[in-house]
Amino acid sequence: MRVFVLLMCACACQGREFADKMDRYLIACHTTDFTCFKRQYTALRDNVILGNVKLAIDNFEPFSVQYGSDCVSIEGWTESELIGIGMDSSSKELIMALELPVYIKQVKNDTNCAKPEQEFTNIDQYSHNGTLMEFTGNATVTVTFPFTLLKKKGDVYLILDEEEVDALMDIPVYVSEGGIEGAEAAELNQASDWAFNIVQHIEAARDFAVPFTGRLRTAFQRIPFRRLMLLYPEEDYSDLQFAFIEPNVLL
């Protein structure tokens, strides 16, 4: 019994220590301040979600997939931005919309790449004079977290259930206009075709987005809700309803 009590005390102390260390990275926002929510997301992204030695959080590893004898990595989360957020206590859903550049790069000698469920096709077609292929596109990721509220030791926690993710990857196609002509346009289009072929062979939501959004879900669950959401006198955590979206953004 004494050992059990000591273990419980040690766990409680570690939990408080983690909360104290994380507190310095948190920004709390009123439900009417979208600009604040954008800063809140950026702070969480840079100091928690992508890894933090002081919090014993491993660095986030970009998704990579085997491509012939090489790998292809898909990155961009370090530059992701919050473009929409909404919360509805009646449906018990937290919705976040994120926008980011997508860097698709061929990598040699990477031992951490996953095997694709479906083998890549036409690999020889996309060879580029021995040069490693790369391309930059864009992605919009919409995440819906079902949630419940948990009261624990005087604090309310936002417990997020497994998320639903919709990931849309935009791979532009270049044509011979706007100053891009001839060989340059052909080269850009070859890279665009290659990137499109890569995207067609992965599950964007599951492979690229969920490893990141899953970390976001875990972080929220460990933070007292008051450290993220400031209430007006007429508001209560059990009855919040708000929504914001960047102008000219179509989801």
Side-chain angles (χ1 to χ4, degrees), residues 22-23 25-28 36-52 55 57 80 85 96 212 215-220 223 227-228:
M22 183 181 280
D23 199 60
Y25 306 117
L26 302 181
I27 297 174
C36 180
F37 281 123
K38 291 170 69 68
R39 291 190 294 110
Q40 179 189 84
Y41 170 78
T42 300
L44 281 173
R45 180 199 69 192
D46 292 345
N47 299 303
V48 179
I49 310 303
L50 293 175
N52 188 315
L55 297 176
I57 300 174
S80 58
I85 186 170
M96 302 176 71
F212 182 85
R215 281 190 167 214
L216 191 62
R217 167 167 41 87
T218 300
F220 269 88
I223 302 170
R227 291 299 294 116
L228 297 171

PDB file of all heavy atoms in Angstrom, residues 22-23 25-28 36-52 55 57 80 85 96 212 215-220 223 227-228:
ATOM      1  N   MET A  22       4.323  23.365 -19.400  1.00  0.00           N
ATOM      2  CA  MET A  22       3.564  23.675 -20.600  1.00  0.00           C
ATOM      3  C   MET A  22       2.916  25.053 -20.507  1.00  0.00           C
ATOM      4  O   MET A  22       2.713  25.722 -21.519  1.00  0.00           O
ATOM      5  CB  MET A  22       2.491  22.610 -20.848  1.00  0.00           C
ATOM      6  CG  MET A  22       1.698  22.844 -22.130  1.00  0.00           C
ATOM      7  SD  MET A  22       0.424  21.621 -22.440  1.00  0.00           S
ATOM      8  CE  MET A  22       1.415  20.298 -23.124  1.00  0.00           C
ATOM      9  N   ASP A  23       2.617  25.482 -19.303  1.00  0.00           N
ATOM     10  CA  ASP A  23       1.862  26.711 -19.108  1.00  0.00           C
ATOM     11  C   ASP A  23       2.514  27.911 -19.801  1.00  0.00           C
ATOM     12  O   ASP A  23       1.827  28.808 -20.282  1.00  0.00           O
ATOM     13  CB  ASP A  23       1.708  26.977 -17.610  1.00  0.00           C
ATOM     14  CG  ASP A  23       0.589  27.942 -17.312  1.00  0.00           C
ATOM     15  OD1 ASP A  23      -0.560  27.634 -17.660  1.00  0.00           O
ATOM     16  OD2 ASP A  23       0.863  29.020 -16.737  1.00  0.00           O
ATOM     17  N   TYR A  25       3.810  28.116 -22.575  1.00  0.00           N
ATOM     18  CA  TYR A  25       3.609  28.126 -24.016  1.00  0.00           C
ATOM     19  C   TYR A  25       2.148  28.375 -24.409  1.00  0.00           C
ATOM     20  O   TYR A  25       1.844  28.412 -25.597  1.00  0.00           O
ATOM     21  CB  TYR A  25       4.046  26.787 -24.625  1.00  0.00           C
ATOM     22  CG  TYR A  25       5.459  26.391 -24.273  1.00  0.00           C
ATOM     23  CD1 TYR A  25       5.711  25.242 -23.539  1.00  0.00           C
ATOM     24  CD2 TYR A  25       6.540  27.171 -24.672  1.00  0.00           C
ATOM     25  CE1 TYR A  25       7.004  24.868 -23.212  1.00  0.00           C
ATOM     26  CE2 TYR A  25       7.837  26.807 -24.350  1.00  0.00           C
ATOM     27  CZ  TYR A  25       8.067  25.649 -23.613  1.00  0.00           C
ATOM     28  OH  TYR A  25       9.348  25.286 -23.287  1.00  0.00           O
ATOM     29  N   LEU A  26       1.263  28.515 -23.432  1.00  0.00           N
ATOM     30  CA  LEU A  26      -0.165  28.564 -23.728  1.00  0.00           C
ATOM     31  C   LEU A  26      -0.677  29.992 -23.840  1.00  0.00           C
ATOM     32  O   LEU A  26      -0.225  30.895 -23.142  1.00  0.00           O
ATOM     33  CB  LEU A  26      -0.952  27.827 -22.641  1.00  0.00           C
ATOM     34  CG  LEU A  26      -0.596  26.350 -22.426  1.00  0.00           C
ATOM     35  CD1 LEU A  26      -1.473  25.757 -21.331  1.00  0.00           C
ATOM     36  CD2 LEU A  26      -0.748  25.573 -23.718  1.00  0.00           C
ATOM     37  N   ILE A  27      -1.632  30.180 -24.734  1.00  0.00           N
ATOM     38  CA  ILE A  27      -2.327  31.450 -24.900  1.00  0.00           C
ATOM     39  C   ILE A  27      -3.812  31.173 -24.744  1.00  0.00           C
ATOM     40  O   ILE A  27      -4.360  30.305 -25.434  1.00  0.00           O
ATOM     41  CB  ILE A  27      -2.052  32.064 -26.283  1.00  0.00           C
ATOM     42  CG1 ILE A  27      -0.557  32.378 -26.444  1.00  0.00           C
ATOM     43  CG2 ILE A  27      -2.888  33.320 -26.499  1.00  0.00           C
ATOM     44  CD1 ILE A  27      -0.173  32.841 -27.833  1.00  0.00           C
ATOM     45  N   ALA A  28      -4.463  31.874 -23.832  1.00  0.00           N
ATOM     46  CA  ALA A  28      -5.908  31.713 -23.626  1.00  0.00           C
ATOM     47  C   ALA A  28      -6.650  32.789 -24.409  1.00  0.00           C
ATOM     48  O   ALA A  28      -6.206  33.939 -24.474  1.00  0.00           O
ATOM     49  CB  ALA A  28      -6.246  31.803 -22.142  1.00  0.00           C
ATOM     50  N   CYS A  36      -6.610  35.900 -31.809  1.00  0.00           N
ATOM     51  CA  CYS A  36      -5.992  35.237 -30.666  1.00  0.00           C
ATOM     52  C   CYS A  36      -5.923  33.727 -30.893  1.00  0.00           C
ATOM     53  O   CYS A  36      -4.904  33.092 -30.589  1.00  0.00           O
ATOM     54  CB  CYS A  36      -6.777  35.541 -29.392  1.00  0.00           C
ATOM     55  SG  CYS A  36      -6.098  34.770 -27.896  1.00  0.00           S
ATOM     56  N   PHE A  37      -6.992  33.141 -31.426  1.00  0.00           N
ATOM     57  CA  PHE A  37      -6.976  31.698 -31.704  1.00  0.00           C
ATOM     58  C   PHE A  37      -5.871  31.339 -32.690  1.00  0.00           C
ATOM     59  O   PHE A  37      -5.250  30.277 -32.573  1.00  0.00           O
ATOM     60  CB  PHE A  37      -8.327  31.242 -32.253  1.00  0.00           C
ATOM     61  CG  PHE A  37      -9.384  31.063 -31.215  1.00  0.00           C
ATOM     62  CD1 PHE A  37     -10.588  31.750 -31.296  1.00  0.00           C
ATOM     63  CD2 PHE A  37      -9.193  30.204 -30.143  1.00  0.00           C
ATOM     64  CE1 PHE A  37     -11.572  31.583 -30.338  1.00  0.00           C
ATOM     65  CE2 PHE A  37     -10.169  30.031 -29.182  1.00  0.00           C
ATOM     66  CZ  PHE A  37     -11.366  30.727 -29.279  1.00  0.00           C
ATOM     67  N   LYS A  38      -5.610  32.203 -33.653  1.00  0.00           N
ATOM     68  CA  LYS A  38      -4.544  31.946 -34.612  1.00  0.00           C
ATOM     69  C   LYS A  38      -3.183  31.950 -33.904  1.00  0.00           C
ATOM     70  O   LYS A  38      -2.323  31.103 -34.177  1.00  0.00           O
ATOM     71  CB  LYS A  38      -4.583  32.991 -35.735  1.00  0.00           C
ATOM     72  CG  LYS A  38      -5.792  32.869 -36.650  1.00  0.00           C
ATOM     73  CD  LYS A  38      -5.915  34.059 -37.587  1.00  0.00           C
ATOM     74  CE  LYS A  38      -4.825  34.099 -38.615  1.00  0.00           C
ATOM     75  NZ  LYS A  38      -4.939  32.996 -39.597  1.00  0.00           N
ATOM     76  N   ARG A  39      -2.977  32.899 -32.992  1.00  0.00           N
ATOM     77  CA  ARG A  39      -1.732  32.937 -32.237  1.00  0.00           C
ATOM     78  C   ARG A  39      -1.643  31.744 -31.287  1.00  0.00           C
ATOM     79  O   ARG A  39      -0.551  31.178 -31.093  1.00  0.00           O
ATOM     80  CB  ARG A  39      -1.642  34.236 -31.440  1.00  0.00           C
ATOM     81  CG  ARG A  39      -1.452  35.480 -32.307  1.00  0.00           C
ATOM     82  CD  ARG A  39      -1.127  36.709 -31.483  1.00  0.00           C
ATOM     83  NE  ARG A  39      -2.228  37.114 -30.630  1.00  0.00           N
ATOM     84  CZ  ARG A  39      -2.242  37.013 -29.318  1.00  0.00           C
ATOM     85  NH1 ARG A  39      -1.202  36.495 -28.676  1.00  0.00           N
ATOM     86  NH2 ARG A  39      -3.293  37.416 -28.619  1.00  0.00           N
ATOM     87  N   GLN A  40      -2.762  31.351 -30.721  1.00  0.00           N
ATOM     88  CA  GLN A  40      -2.787  30.188 -29.830  1.00  0.00           C
ATOM     89  C   GLN A  40      -2.347  28.929 -30.569  1.00  0.00           C
ATOM     90  O   GLN A  40      -1.537  28.144 -30.057  1.00  0.00           O
ATOM     91  CB  GLN A  40      -4.199  29.993 -29.272  1.00  0.00           C
ATOM     92  CG  GLN A  40      -4.373  28.814 -28.342  1.00  0.00           C
ATOM     93  CD  GLN A  40      -5.834  28.559 -28.016  1.00  0.00           C
ATOM     94  OE1 GLN A  40      -6.539  27.904 -28.768  1.00  0.00           O
ATOM     95  NE2 GLN A  40      -6.298  29.113 -26.894  1.00  0.00           N
ATOM     96  N   TYR A  41      -2.876  28.749 -31.780  1.00  0.00           N
ATOM     97  CA  TYR A  41      -2.506  27.577 -32.572  1.00  0.00           C
ATOM     98  C   TYR A  41      -1.019  27.584 -32.888  1.00  0.00           C
ATOM     99  O   TYR A  41      -0.327  26.558 -32.755  1.00  0.00           O
ATOM    100  CB  TYR A  41      -3.310  27.514 -33.870  1.00  0.00           C
ATOM    101  CG  TYR A  41      -2.781  26.455 -34.809  1.00  0.00           C
ATOM    102  CD1 TYR A  41      -3.084  25.112 -34.586  1.00  0.00           C
ATOM    103  CD2 TYR A  41      -1.940  26.785 -35.870  1.00  0.00           C
ATOM    104  CE1 TYR A  41      -2.558  24.128 -35.416  1.00  0.00           C
ATOM    105  CE2 TYR A  41      -1.423  25.812 -36.696  1.00  0.00           C
ATOM    106  CZ  TYR A  41      -1.728  24.475 -36.469  1.00  0.00           C
ATOM    107  OH  TYR A  41      -1.205  23.503 -37.269  1.00  0.00           O
ATOM    108  N   THR A  42      -0.486  28.729 -33.319  1.00  0.00           N
ATOM    109  CA  THR A  42       0.924  28.820 -33.677  1.00  0.00           C
ATOM    110  C   THR A  42       1.818  28.487 -32.489  1.00  0.00           C
ATOM    111  O   THR A  42       2.828  27.778 -32.632  1.00  0.00           O
ATOM    112  CB  THR A  42       1.254  30.225 -34.209  1.00  0.00           C
ATOM    113  OG1 THR A  42       0.449  30.493 -35.368  1.00  0.00           O
ATOM    114  CG2 THR A  42       2.720  30.333 -34.595  1.00  0.00           C
ATOM    115  N   ALA A  43       1.459  28.980 -31.307  1.00  0.00           N
ATOM    116  CA  ALA A  43       2.245  28.698 -30.102  1.00  0.00           C
ATOM    117  C   ALA A  43       2.225  27.207 -29.774  1.00  0.00           C
ATOM    118  O   ALA A  43       3.261  26.616 -29.439  1.00  0.00           O
ATOM    119  CB  ALA A  43       1.715  29.514 -28.927  1.00  0.00           C
ATOM    120  N   LEU A  44       1.049  26.583 -29.870  1.00  0.00           N
ATOM    121  CA  LEU A  44       0.960  25.139 -29.626  1.00  0.00           C
ATOM    122  C   LEU A  44       1.743  24.362 -30.677  1.00  0.00           C
ATOM    123  O   LEU A  44       2.443  23.393 -30.363  1.00  0.00           O
ATOM    124  CB  LEU A  44      -0.504  24.696 -29.625  1.00  0.00           C
ATOM    125  CG  LEU A  44      -1.316  24.952 -28.358  1.00  0.00           C
ATOM    126  CD1 LEU A  44      -2.780  24.622 -28.598  1.00  0.00           C
ATOM    127  CD2 LEU A  44      -0.774  24.125 -27.195  1.00  0.00           C
ATOM    128  N   ARG A  45       1.613  24.764 -31.919  1.00  0.00           N
ATOM    129  CA  ARG A  45       2.319  24.078 -33.007  1.00  0.00           C
ATOM    130  C   ARG A  45       3.822  24.074 -32.771  1.00  0.00           C
ATOM    131  O   ARG A  45       4.476  23.028 -32.822  1.00  0.00           O
ATOM    132  CB  ARG A  45       1.999  24.781 -34.331  1.00  0.00           C
ATOM    133  CG  ARG A  45       2.664  24.194 -35.559  1.00  0.00           C
ATOM    134  CD  ARG A  45       2.660  25.206 -36.705  1.00  0.00           C
ATOM    135  NE  ARG A  45       3.560  26.326 -36.425  1.00  0.00           N
ATOM    136  CZ  ARG A  45       3.578  27.456 -37.135  1.00  0.00           C
ATOM    137  NH1 ARG A  45       2.734  27.636 -38.141  1.00  0.00           N
ATOM    138  NH2 ARG A  45       4.434  28.413 -36.826  1.00  0.00           N
ATOM    139  N   ASP A  46       4.373  25.261 -32.509  1.00  0.00           N
ATOM    140  CA  ASP A  46       5.829  25.401 -32.431  1.00  0.00           C
ATOM    141  C   ASP A  46       6.420  24.837 -31.143  1.00  0.00           C
ATOM    142  O   ASP A  46       7.552  24.339 -31.151  1.00  0.00           O
ATOM    143  CB  ASP A  46       6.215  26.873 -32.558  1.00  0.00           C
ATOM    144  CG  ASP A  46       5.926  27.434 -33.937  1.00  0.00           C
ATOM    145  OD1 ASP A  46       5.698  26.622 -34.863  1.00  0.00           O
ATOM    146  OD2 ASP A  46       5.907  28.664 -34.093  1.00  0.00           O
ATOM    147  N   ASN A  47       5.678  24.926 -30.046  1.00  0.00           N
ATOM    148  CA  ASN A  47       6.257  24.606 -28.740  1.00  0.00           C
ATOM    149  C   ASN A  47       5.798  23.288 -28.146  1.00  0.00           C
ATOM    150  O   ASN A  47       6.383  22.816 -27.163  1.00  0.00           O
ATOM    151  CB  ASN A  47       5.936  25.731 -27.748  1.00  0.00           C
ATOM    152  CG  ASN A  47       6.518  27.061 -28.176  1.00  0.00           C
ATOM    153  OD1 ASN A  47       7.721  27.181 -28.380  1.00  0.00           O
ATOM    154  ND2 ASN A  47       5.661  28.060 -28.328  1.00  0.00           N
ATOM    155  N   VAL A  48       4.749  22.684 -28.722  1.00  0.00           N
ATOM    156  CA  VAL A  48       4.217  21.450 -28.153  1.00  0.00           C
ATOM    157  C   VAL A  48       4.057  20.369 -29.228  1.00  0.00           C
ATOM    158  O   VAL A  48       4.651  19.299 -29.144  1.00  0.00           O
ATOM    159  CB  VAL A  48       2.865  21.699 -27.449  1.00  0.00           C
ATOM    160  CG1 VAL A  48       2.303  20.398 -26.877  1.00  0.00           C
ATOM    161  CG2 VAL A  48       3.032  22.730 -26.337  1.00  0.00           C
ATOM    162  N   ILE A  49       3.251  20.642 -30.243  1.00  0.00           N
ATOM    163  CA  ILE A  49       2.872  19.612 -31.202  1.00  0.00           C
ATOM    164  C   ILE A  49       4.069  19.090 -31.992  1.00  0.00           C
ATOM    165  O   ILE A  49       4.196  17.884 -32.231  1.00  0.00           O
ATOM    166  CB  ILE A  49       1.800  20.140 -32.180  1.00  0.00           C
ATOM    167  CG1 ILE A  49       0.647  20.809 -31.414  1.00  0.00           C
ATOM    168  CG2 ILE A  49       1.274  19.007 -33.061  1.00  0.00           C
ATOM    169  CD1 ILE A  49      -0.007  19.906 -30.415  1.00  0.00           C
ATOM    170  N   LEU A  50       4.965  19.973 -32.398  1.00  0.00           N
ATOM    171  CA  LEU A  50       6.110  19.563 -33.210  1.00  0.00           C
ATOM    172  C   LEU A  50       7.257  19.000 -32.376  1.00  0.00           C
ATOM    173  O   LEU A  50       8.269  18.565 -32.921  1.00  0.00           O
ATOM    174  CB  LEU A  50       6.610  20.740 -34.053  1.00  0.00           C
ATOM    175  CG  LEU A  50       5.645  21.208 -35.143  1.00  0.00           C
ATOM    176  CD1 LEU A  50       6.177  22.461 -35.831  1.00  0.00           C
ATOM    177  CD2 LEU A  50       5.416  20.109 -36.177  1.00  0.00           C
ATOM    178  N   GLY A  51       7.091  18.990 -31.049  1.00  0.00           N
ATOM    179  CA  GLY A  51       8.107  18.420 -30.174  1.00  0.00           C
ATOM    180  C   GLY A  51       8.702  19.451 -29.238  1.00  0.00           C
ATOM    181  O   GLY A  51       8.797  20.639 -29.572  1.00  0.00           O
ATOM    182  N   ASN A  52       9.093  18.986 -28.056  1.00  0.00           N
ATOM    183  CA  ASN A  52       9.676  19.891 -27.065  1.00  0.00           C
ATOM    184  C   ASN A  52      10.480  19.053 -26.078  1.00  0.00           C
ATOM    185  O   ASN A  52       9.920  18.235 -25.341  1.00  0.00           O
ATOM    186  CB  ASN A  52       8.570  20.674 -26.348  1.00  0.00           C
ATOM    187  CG  ASN A  52       9.113  21.766 -25.443  1.00  0.00           C
ATOM    188  OD1 ASN A  52      10.059  21.565 -24.698  1.00  0.00           O
ATOM    189  ND2 ASN A  52       8.476  22.932 -25.493  1.00  0.00           N
ATOM    190  N   LEU A  55       9.498  19.297 -22.424  1.00  0.00           N
ATOM    191  CA  LEU A  55       8.260  18.614 -22.057  1.00  0.00           C
ATOM    192  C   LEU A  55       8.335  17.112 -22.339  1.00  0.00           C
ATOM    193  O   LEU A  55       7.334  16.405 -22.201  1.00  0.00           O
ATOM    194  CB  LEU A  55       7.080  19.214 -22.838  1.00  0.00           C
ATOM    195  CG  LEU A  55       6.763  20.687 -22.567  1.00  0.00           C
ATOM    196  CD1 LEU A  55       5.644  21.160 -23.487  1.00  0.00           C
ATOM    197  CD2 LEU A  55       6.371  20.897 -21.115  1.00  0.00           C
ATOM    198  N   ILE A  57       8.559  15.671 -25.165  1.00  0.00           N
ATOM    199  CA  ILE A  57       7.749  15.344 -26.339  1.00  0.00           C
ATOM    200  C   ILE A  57       8.692  15.167 -27.526  1.00  0.00           C
ATOM    201  O   ILE A  57       9.434  16.087 -27.885  1.00  0.00           O
ATOM    202  CB  ILE A  57       6.724  16.454 -26.642  1.00  0.00           C
ATOM    203  CG1 ILE A  57       5.775  16.639 -25.453  1.00  0.00           C
ATOM    204  CG2 ILE A  57       5.926  16.125 -27.891  1.00  0.00           C
ATOM    205  CD1 ILE A  57       4.821  17.805 -25.614  1.00  0.00           C
ATOM    206  N   SER A  80       2.067  25.415 -41.027  1.00  0.00           N
ATOM    207  CA  SER A  80       0.604  25.372 -41.045  1.00  0.00           C
ATOM    208  C   SER A  80       0.016  26.549 -40.283  1.00  0.00           C
ATOM    209  O   SER A  80       0.597  27.041 -39.305  1.00  0.00           O
ATOM    210  CB  SER A  80       0.109  24.049 -40.445  1.00  0.00           C
ATOM    211  OG  SER A  80       0.581  23.883 -39.119  1.00  0.00           O
ATOM    212  N   ILE A  85     -11.991  28.066 -37.057  1.00  0.00           N
ATOM    213  CA  ILE A  85     -12.222  27.319 -35.829  1.00  0.00           C
ATOM    214  C   ILE A  85     -13.668  27.528 -35.391  1.00  0.00           C
ATOM    215  O   ILE A  85     -14.232  28.619 -35.561  1.00  0.00           O
ATOM    216  CB  ILE A  85     -11.248  27.745 -34.701  1.00  0.00           C
ATOM    217  CG1 ILE A  85     -11.426  26.839 -33.464  1.00  0.00           C
ATOM    218  CG2 ILE A  85     -11.413  29.207 -34.343  1.00  0.00           C
ATOM    219  CD1 ILE A  85     -10.343  27.038 -32.415  1.00  0.00           C
ATOM    220  N   MET A  96     -11.600  22.489 -36.575  1.00  0.00           N
ATOM    221  CA  MET A  96     -10.472  23.348 -36.901  1.00  0.00           C
ATOM    222  C   MET A  96     -10.139  23.177 -38.378  1.00  0.00           C
ATOM    223  O   MET A  96     -10.165  22.051 -38.899  1.00  0.00           O
ATOM    224  CB  MET A  96      -9.250  22.996 -36.039  1.00  0.00           C
ATOM    225  CG  MET A  96      -9.506  23.097 -34.550  1.00  0.00           C
ATOM    226  SD  MET A  96      -8.085  22.566 -33.540  1.00  0.00           S
ATOM    227  CE  MET A  96      -6.947  23.912 -33.850  1.00  0.00           C
ATOM    228  N   PHE A 212      -0.346  14.255 -37.209  1.00  0.00           N
ATOM    229  CA  PHE A 212      -0.232  15.593 -36.636  1.00  0.00           C
ATOM    230  C   PHE A 212      -1.463  15.948 -35.804  1.00  0.00           C
ATOM    231  O   PHE A 212      -1.338  16.404 -34.667  1.00  0.00           O
ATOM    232  CB  PHE A 212      -0.042  16.624 -37.758  1.00  0.00           C
ATOM    233  CG  PHE A 212       0.134  18.033 -37.258  1.00  0.00           C
ATOM    234  CD1 PHE A 212       1.381  18.497 -36.876  1.00  0.00           C
ATOM    235  CD2 PHE A 212      -0.944  18.902 -37.165  1.00  0.00           C
ATOM    236  CE1 PHE A 212       1.553  19.794 -36.409  1.00  0.00           C
ATOM    237  CE2 PHE A 212      -0.786  20.195 -36.709  1.00  0.00           C
ATOM    238  CZ  PHE A 212       0.463  20.645 -36.326  1.00  0.00           C
ATOM    239  N   ARG A 215      -1.642  14.373 -32.399  1.00  0.00           N
ATOM    240  CA  ARG A 215      -0.840  15.055 -31.375  1.00  0.00           C
ATOM    241  C   ARG A 215      -1.590  16.266 -30.816  1.00  0.00           C
ATOM    242  O   ARG A 215      -1.507  16.565 -29.625  1.00  0.00           O
ATOM    243  CB  ARG A 215       0.492  15.515 -31.971  1.00  0.00           C
ATOM    244  CG  ARG A 215       1.528  14.410 -32.104  1.00  0.00           C
ATOM    245  CD  ARG A 215       2.873  14.996 -32.468  1.00  0.00           C
ATOM    246  NE  ARG A 215       3.926  14.010 -32.296  1.00  0.00           N
ATOM    247  CZ  ARG A 215       5.159  14.289 -31.906  1.00  0.00           C
ATOM    248  NH1 ARG A 215       5.501  15.547 -31.654  1.00  0.00           N
ATOM    249  NH2 ARG A 215       6.067  13.349 -31.769  1.00  0.00           N
ATOM    250  N   LEU A 216      -2.294  16.961 -31.686  1.00  0.00           N
ATOM    251  CA  LEU A 216      -3.093  18.103 -31.258  1.00  0.00           C
ATOM    252  C   LEU A 216      -4.174  17.649 -30.274  1.00  0.00           C
ATOM    253  O   LEU A 216      -4.406  18.283 -29.238  1.00  0.00           O
ATOM    254  CB  LEU A 216      -3.720  18.764 -32.481  1.00  0.00           C
ATOM    255  CG  LEU A 216      -4.398  20.119 -32.299  1.00  0.00           C
ATOM    256  CD1 LEU A 216      -3.401  21.163 -31.831  1.00  0.00           C
ATOM    257  CD2 LEU A 216      -5.032  20.562 -33.610  1.00  0.00           C
ATOM    258  N   ARG A 217      -4.828  16.548 -30.588  1.00  0.00           N
ATOM    259  CA  ARG A 217      -5.861  15.994 -29.703  1.00  0.00           C
ATOM    260  C   ARG A 217      -5.275  15.635 -28.341  1.00  0.00           C
ATOM    261  O   ARG A 217      -5.854  15.955 -27.302  1.00  0.00           O
ATOM    262  CB  ARG A 217      -6.484  14.760 -30.363  1.00  0.00           C
ATOM    263  CG  ARG A 217      -7.337  13.915 -29.444  1.00  0.00           C
ATOM    264  CD  ARG A 217      -8.172  12.905 -30.213  1.00  0.00           C
ATOM    265  NE  ARG A 217      -7.470  12.272 -31.302  1.00  0.00           N
ATOM    266  CZ  ARG A 217      -6.722  11.174 -31.178  1.00  0.00           C
ATOM    267  NH1 ARG A 217      -6.565  10.615 -29.993  1.00  0.00           N
ATOM    268  NH2 ARG A 217      -6.148  10.639 -32.236  1.00  0.00           N
ATOM    269  N   THR A 218      -4.136  14.993 -28.320  1.00  0.00           N
ATOM    270  CA  THR A 218      -3.511  14.600 -27.062  1.00  0.00           C
ATOM    271  C   THR A 218      -3.143  15.808 -26.218  1.00  0.00           C
ATOM    272  O   THR A 218      -3.331  15.817 -24.998  1.00  0.00           O
ATOM    273  CB  THR A 218      -2.253  13.758 -27.340  1.00  0.00           C
ATOM    274  OG1 THR A 218      -2.618  12.593 -28.074  1.00  0.00           O
ATOM    275  CG2 THR A 218      -1.587  13.332 -26.042  1.00  0.00           C
ATOM    276  N   ALA A 219      -2.623  16.849 -26.855  1.00  0.00           N
ATOM    277  CA  ALA A 219      -2.226  18.052 -26.121  1.00  0.00           C
ATOM    278  C   ALA A 219      -3.423  18.718 -25.465  1.00  0.00           C
ATOM    279  O   ALA A 219      -3.370  19.105 -24.288  1.00  0.00           O
ATOM    280  CB  ALA A 219      -1.521  19.028 -27.064  1.00  0.00           C
ATOM    281  N   PHE A 220      -4.525  18.862 -26.207  1.00  0.00           N
ATOM    282  CA  PHE A 220      -5.721  19.495 -25.659  1.00  0.00           C
ATOM    283  C   PHE A 220      -6.205  18.770 -24.413  1.00  0.00           C
ATOM    284  O   PHE A 220      -6.662  19.398 -23.450  1.00  0.00           O
ATOM    285  CB  PHE A 220      -6.835  19.526 -26.703  1.00  0.00           C
ATOM    286  CG  PHE A 220      -6.856  20.776 -27.540  1.00  0.00           C
ATOM    287  CD1 PHE A 220      -6.108  20.857 -28.705  1.00  0.00           C
ATOM    288  CD2 PHE A 220      -7.609  21.871 -27.164  1.00  0.00           C
ATOM    289  CE1 PHE A 220      -6.117  22.000 -29.486  1.00  0.00           C
ATOM    290  CE2 PHE A 220      -7.628  23.027 -27.937  1.00  0.00           C
ATOM    291  CZ  PHE A 220      -6.879  23.092 -29.101  1.00  0.00           C
ATOM    292  N   ILE A 223      -4.486  19.745 -21.023  1.00  0.00           N
ATOM    293  CA  ILE A 223      -4.453  21.154 -20.633  1.00  0.00           C
ATOM    294  C   ILE A 223      -5.802  21.546 -20.026  1.00  0.00           C
ATOM    295  O   ILE A 223      -6.838  21.340 -20.659  1.00  0.00           O
ATOM    296  CB  ILE A 223      -4.185  22.046 -21.858  1.00  0.00           C
ATOM    297  CG1 ILE A 223      -2.857  21.641 -22.536  1.00  0.00           C
ATOM    298  CG2 ILE A 223      -4.153  23.511 -21.461  1.00  0.00           C
ATOM    299  CD1 ILE A 223      -2.637  22.308 -23.879  1.00  0.00           C
ATOM    300  N   ARG A 227      -7.072  27.322 -19.522  1.00  0.00           N
ATOM    301  CA  ARG A 227      -5.808  27.835 -20.039  1.00  0.00           C
ATOM    302  C   ARG A 227      -5.857  28.056 -21.548  1.00  0.00           C
ATOM    303  O   ARG A 227      -4.944  28.616 -22.134  1.00  0.00           O
ATOM    304  CB  ARG A 227      -4.657  26.874 -19.695  1.00  0.00           C
ATOM    305  CG  ARG A 227      -4.314  26.820 -18.240  1.00  0.00           C
ATOM    306  CD  ARG A 227      -3.864  28.189 -17.715  1.00  0.00           C
ATOM    307  NE  ARG A 227      -2.615  28.611 -18.326  1.00  0.00           N
ATOM    308  CZ  ARG A 227      -2.470  29.681 -19.106  1.00  0.00           C
ATOM    309  NH1 ARG A 227      -3.521  30.465 -19.384  1.00  0.00           N
ATOM    310  NH2 ARG A 227      -1.306  29.997 -19.616  1.00  0.00           N
ATOM    311  N   LEU A 228      -6.950  27.612 -22.164  1.00  0.00           N
ATOM    312  CA  LEU A 228      -7.124  27.799 -23.596  1.00  0.00           C
ATOM    313  C   LEU A 228      -8.291  28.712 -23.935  1.00  0.00           C
ATOM    314  O   LEU A 228      -8.267  29.409 -24.943  1.00  0.00           O
ATOM    315  CB  LEU A 228      -7.336  26.442 -24.282  1.00  0.00           C
ATOM    316  CG  LEU A 228      -6.189  25.442 -24.191  1.00  0.00           C
ATOM    317  CD1 LEU A 228      -6.627  24.078 -24.713  1.00  0.00           C
ATOM    318  CD2 LEU A 228      -4.980  25.939 -24.976  1.00  0.00           C
TER     319      LEU A 228
END
